[in-house]
Amino acid sequence: MGWRTVRRTVFNEDHEAFRETIRAFIEAEVVPVYDEWFAAGQAPRDFYYKLGELGIFGISVPEEFGGAGMDTHKFEAVLYEETARAGVQFGGSGVHVLLALPYLKMLATDEQKKRFLPKFVTGEEMWAIAMTEPGTGSDLAGMKTTAKLSEDGTHYVLNGAKTFITGGVHADKVIVCARTAAPTAEDRRHGISLFAVDTKSEGYSVGRKLDKLGLKTSDTAELAFVDVKVPVEDLLGEENKGFSYLGHNLASERWGIAFGAYAQAKAAVRFAKQYVQERTVFGKPVAHFQNTKFELAACQAEVDAAEAVADRATEALDAGELTPAEAASAKLFCTEVAHRVIDRCLQLHGGYGYMNEYPIARLYADNRVNRIYGGTSEIMKSIIAKDMGL
């Protein structure tokens, strides 16, 4: 295993020191109570304050707003690896940093940043983003939620519904995508705007906490808006240009899914290797059999390839050079590799692999959504094909 560690160049000493801190934190604060979170279907709200104290939320937030001001995704990458390695998740906090923060950094005015970012960093205000609607799925241009400017021009009136909103139960603020104008014949994506909506607003409600196949500790909810008043000061960016903003951050979102999937595949091999060395059948460790060795060797080769793809995408993202097609390619490849590897590693566990008390079973369920959210594998193939001139 040593040569992979030596040849990997994506992380430096600072990232490895961060890794040690995160690994110790997970062992002390997450592993002992994770079964309770799993049963409850969400992490407790006060856990996010601990993440804030650890500095996880502020890594790339400018120093003037309480963050560390580091313009890199590599610390997030370490988080993906360490949570997967331990077979845990940090609840619904991933969208707080990976999805919501890029919009705040890109679109918020100085006045908005002063209001939003300090509490973002501490975990005092957790953020989510609401794009998907019950009838739209990947077709964001088909959204029906509306935000109409009041006659006196002081606020927008928000009406509609959203679904599959990760972090939606605990969220204090939600970036809501809504129609401020009708689509045009030339461009059905015209007329979408983004708003920072306070979840305590009158008319805002959280519906069902959705019962998902996997990602059990990540709270996912339906949201409803009935005449919710949103101050004009909480419009993010320019009116009617929301769709272009959404497209701008898709590359980083898809990088996150790709890297997370690779990290899960790597963890699956670790879990399987440990299991087959300890489990005995017919008087011998499962690891003794040639089929076991061949299966794990094949899985390791796939993980090595996914690691290279994930690391290359990380470097490109940090350099501001990750194109939509490259992000789609990384997501497609890493999520498909993870699908194959985790399935094969579960098989090596036999019947125990189907039991939720084993991390491989939870990993199997958690991984499935990677080929769906952030754009399905089919959408990724369409993006890549278009980039190829097909």
Side-chain angles (χ1 to χ4, degrees):
M1 295 286 285
W3 63 273
R4 274 182 291 276
T5 303
V6 171
R7 293 187 184 181
R8 200 176 185 196
T9 59
V10 70
F11 299 125
N12 62 28
E13 292 181 0
D14 291 339
H15 303 125
E16 295 305 332
F18 179 70
R19 185 188 302 281
E20 291 182 15
T21 299
I22 292 301
R23 189 172 295 184
F25 174 80
I26 290 173
E27 287 299 319
E29 301 287 344
V30 183
V31 172
V33 293
Y34 196 71
D35 285 346
E36 297 173 22
W37 297 5
F38 190 85
Q42 61 186 30
R45 179 62 179 85
D46 61 2
F47 173 67
Y48 299 141
Y49 292 113
K50 294 181 180 180
L51 294 181
E53 291 172 5
L54 200 60
I56 286 175
F57 296 149
I59 291 171
S60 64
V61 172
E63 292 183 37
E64 61 189 292
F65 304 115
M70 292 184 280
D71 190 19
T72 176
H73 289 78
K74 292 182 180 179
F75 293 98
E76 290 172 54
V78 171
L79 274 174
Y80 284 124
E81 290 188 334
E82 290 305 307
T83 50
R85 179 185 181 277
V88 302
Q89 294 171 335
F90 284 175
S93 65
V95 298
H96 185 67
V97 174
L98 182 65
L99 300 189
L101 183 57
Y103 291 102
L104 297 179
K105 290 172 65 176
M106 177 176 70
L107 301 176
T109 62
D110 286 342
E111 184 275 329
Q112 288 174 326
K113 288 177 180 176
K114 289 176 183 176
R115 279 195 290 132
F116 297 149
L117 290 180
K119 292 181 180 179
F120 179 102
V121 169
T122 61
E124 186 177 344
E125 286 186 349
M126 294 300 295
W127 287 70
I129 184 164
M131 292 186 269
T132 306
E133 296 184 2
T136 59
S138 296
D139 181 21
L140 295 178
M143 70 177 62
K144 299 291 193 293
T145 297
T146 61
K148 297 183 178 178
L149 190 63
S150 61
E151 291 186 4
D152 62 7
T154 62
H155 63 272
Y156 291 86
V157 180
L158 183 67
N159 282 282
K162 300 288 182 179
T163 193
F164 305 148
I165 308 308
T166 303
V169 175
H170 282 320
D172 301 289
K173 300 277 190 182
V174 178
I175 299 174
V176 178
C177 311
R179 284 210 162 274
T180 43
T184 64
E186 297 79 24
D187 186 7
R188 60 191 295 268
R189 298 175 295 184
H190 171 76
I192 294 172
S193 301
L194 306 185
F195 299 91
V197 179
D198 192 321
T199 62
K200 295 186 293 293
S201 302
E202 184 177 352
Y204 180 104
S205 63
V206 178
R208 292 184 303 145
K209 180 166 73 70
L210 301 173
D211 183 17
K212 307 185 298 298
L213 170 68
L215 302 178
K216 289 292 189 179
T217 65
S218 171
D219 55 300
T220 302
E222 295 175 331
L223 307 179
F225 320 110
V226 180
D227 295 334
V228 176
K229 293 182 179 179
V230 183
V232 292
E233 293 83 9
D234 289 344
L235 171 70
L236 290 173
E238 294 185 44
E239 195 178 79
N240 299 328
K241 292 189 176 181
F243 198 93
S244 64
Y245 299 146
L246 297 176
H248 184 83
N249 285 320
L250 278 175
S252 62
E253 178 183 351
R254 287 167 179 164
W255 163 82
I257 297 169
F259 204 99
Y262 141 70
Q264 289 176 323
K266 183 177 183 178
V269 173
R270 176 175 178 267
F271 296 143
K273 179 183 174 184
Q274 182 178 12
Y275 179 83
V276 299
Q277 288 175 328
E278 296 172 354
R279 172 72 169 159
T280 301
V281 295
F282 305 119
K284 297 178 180 178
V286 176
H288 175 81
F289 297 96
Q290 187 181 61
N291 179 68
T292 304
K293 296 175 182 179
F294 280 7
E295 282 293 285
L296 281 177
C299 287
Q300 184 63 60
E302 289 219 73
V303 169
D304 287 344
E307 181 179 88
V309 170
D311 285 356
R312 185 180 69 175
T314 303
E315 297 284 20
L317 182 64
D318 270 13
E321 298 171 355
L322 185 65
T323 68
E326 288 170 339
S329 178
K331 180 182 184 296
L332 177 66
F333 183 78
C334 291
T335 58
E336 294 290 342
V337 163
H339 160 64
R340 293 191 296 270
V341 167
I342 294 170
D343 184 77
R344 294 167 83 172
C345 288
L346 186 150
Q347 188 73 15
L348 288 171
H349 282 70
Y352 289 105
Y354 206 64
M355 302 296 115
N356 273 326
E357 65 186 271
Y358 282 82
I360 194 69
R362 299 180 183 186
L363 197 57
Y364 183 86
D366 292 347
N367 175 261
R368 185 58 185 88
V369 76
N370 287 334
R371 292 180 288 150
I372 298 173
Y373 66 6
T376 64
S377 290
E378 291 72 27
I379 295 291
M380 299 304 101
K381 291 174 184 176
S382 295
I383 293 169
I384 298 165
K386 184 178 180 181
D387 187 66
M388 294 169 66
L390 298 172

